[in-house]
Amino acid sequence: MKVINNKKLFIIVFLMFILSSPILAQTSAGGGDDLGSIIKIMVAVTAFLVAIIMWLVLVYSEKGDDAEVSGFKKFMQVINQRPPIEEEQNLLLDHDFDGIKELNNKIPPWFMAIFYGSIIWAVIYMVDFHVIGSGNVQEDEYAEEVRVAAMEREILNKSGSLINEDNVTVLDDAAALANGKDIFVKNCAACHGMNGEGLVGPNFTDNYWIHGNKINDLFRTIKYGVPAKGMISWQTQLDPTQIQEVASYILTLKGTNPPNPKAPEGDLFE
Ligand code: HEC
């Protein structure tokens, strides 16, 4: 009977360990990404192996005959130190409630170990985190995450991948406009003319625009295209910075009066 109880306790403690392992994996993952998932898999595999070993121990411990006490039983005896049932008489307290009696059992060593262990842990933790300060307290962890996020944001900003039709601005530096011209000649001139005078596509040198004359309008038209009218979407071929550059270049063409201009299309913008 006693063995079965111990067994149950053992299984419960072990299940708690397995269930908690994904949580541990999550907190230790930190950066997320590949490393995080590798750690998760490693924890899962380890938990699985430990489960098999524990299971073997349980099966094995059941087989041990009474004369020779198995290692597992001995272990349970050491951490529980429950007196044998014959001695319970000595532990009986003299109060009695409706026939229910109480034994003056000692607090089991496993419990005291956790109790003192947590006190020792608390001291170590306090010294480490608050006196030496080598560990990160929550506040520092938060500040660190904010710092990393700001860095990532800066990198994304520099790479231009955060530029979109809502926040795009007109570029006016020579290098960006030269890039824009390059992109225009390679990709757009076939339809809009070498000098933006218009061909299949509309003229960019007049004040007439079908989809608006703001940098945001141009960016949107170039990014998503107007497929029904023969203007394709460029977002898979040009990155946001390139779209910004070519759109800025197009805006410089206004009033350049190239030869063979295409007749105005769209609405007049001043
Ligand atoms: C296959 C021909 C073709 C190519 C190549 C092309 N366009 Fe167009 N584009 C058009 C047509 C046609 C329209 C008019 C769409 C409409 O009527 O709505 C247009 C419209 C536009 C407009 C909107 C003009 C307005 O009046 O509102 C912009 C801006 C534009 N194109 C930029 C570009 C850029 C930049 C490229 C190169 C990266 C490019 N286009 C390549 C055919 C083309």
Side-chain angles (χ1 to χ4, degrees):
M1 201 60 204
K2 194 179 147 199
V3 175
I4 290 172
N5 280 339
N6 285 345
K7 215 170 106 177
K8 270 189 193 158
L9 175 87
F10 202 59
I11 291 171
I12 290 169
V13 169
F14 182 62
L15 278 181
M16 277 160 57
F17 167 72
I18 291 189
L19 289 178
S20 66
S21 57
I23 303 168
L24 282 175
Q26 256 170 21
T27 50
S28 62
D33 54 43
D34 289 349
L35 190 68
S37 45
I38 291 171
I39 291 175
K40 271 182 202 166
I41 292 169
M42 276 168 58
V43 169
V45 170
T46 313
F48 181 69
L49 290 177
V50 172
I52 290 180
I53 293 168
M54 295 261 187
W55 179 71
L56 285 174
V57 167
L58 280 180
V59 170
Y60 191 73
S61 72
E62 264 179 327
K63 285 190 183 139
D65 48 339
D66 284 353
E68 192 195 324
V69 184
S70 74
F72 177 67
K73 277 186 191 159
K74 258 189 229 157
F75 172 69
M76 293 311 278
Q77 183 57 40
V78 169
I79 65 164
N80 277 319
Q81 284 192 8
R82 190 103 62 80
I85 201 134
E86 310 83 57
E87 285 171 30
E88 277 189 353
Q89 211 61 23
N90 312 335
L91 298 173
L92 215 55
L93 293 173
D94 51 7
H95 70 256
D96 168 334
F97 186 81
D98 271 0
I100 301 172
K101 292 177 182 169
E102 202 184 336
L103 292 179
N104 186 15
N105 270 324
K106 240 173 69 174
I107 297 173
W110 66 261
F111 184 90
M112 297 312 283
I114 293 176
F115 179 64
Y116 290 121
S118 54
I119 293 175
I120 293 168
W121 175 251
V123 173
I124 294 173
Y125 185 92
M126 198 191 75
V127 171
D128 186 25
F129 281 76
H130 296 285
V131 181
I132 305 175
S134 68
N136 267 355
V137 286
Q138 252 177 354
E139 206 181 322
D140 295 343
E141 260 174 31
Y142 172 74
E144 178 64 17
E145 271 178 38
V146 169
R147 202 179 62 84
V148 170
M151 269 162 57
E152 280 174 0
R153 202 187 144 77
E154 199 180 316
I155 292 168
L156 284 173
N157 260 331
K158 278 201 184 124
S159 77
S161 44
L162 289 182
I163 301 172
N164 60 38
E165 54 275 23
D166 297 319
N167 63 17
V168 63
T169 52
V170 182
L171 299 173
D172 52 12
D173 60 297
L177 292 176
N179 284 342
K181 180 171 186 177
D182 206 39
I183 296 164
F184 183 85
V185 169
K186 282 196 187 114
N187 303 288
C188 326
C191 289
H192 291 283
M194 276 311 272
N195 302 306
E197 70 276 14
L199 213 61
V200 183
N203 185 336
F204 290 144
T205 62
D206 56 22
N207 286 325
Y208 290 81
W209 295 89
I210 306 170
H211 301 287
N213 71 337
K214 290 207 297 289
I215 182 82
N216 314 68
D217 303 323
L218 270 71
F219 191 97
R220 189 182 303 107
T221 311
I222 300 165
K223 182 174 173 187
Y224 301 110
V226 193
K229 298 287 180 64
M231 165 70 187
I232 63 165
S233 153
W234 289 91
Q235 58 178 334
T236 53
Q237 291 163 69
L238 302 177
D239 65 37
T241 314
Q242 291 175 311
I243 299 181
Q244 182 186 29
E245 286 167 349
V246 71
S248 301
Y249 169 71
I250 289 174
L251 288 177
T252 65
L253 298 176
K254 186 176 123 178
T256 50
N257 289 318
N260 309 318
K262 193 180 180 190
E265 289 166 89
D267 304 318
L268 179 66
F269 286 83
E270 268 314 329

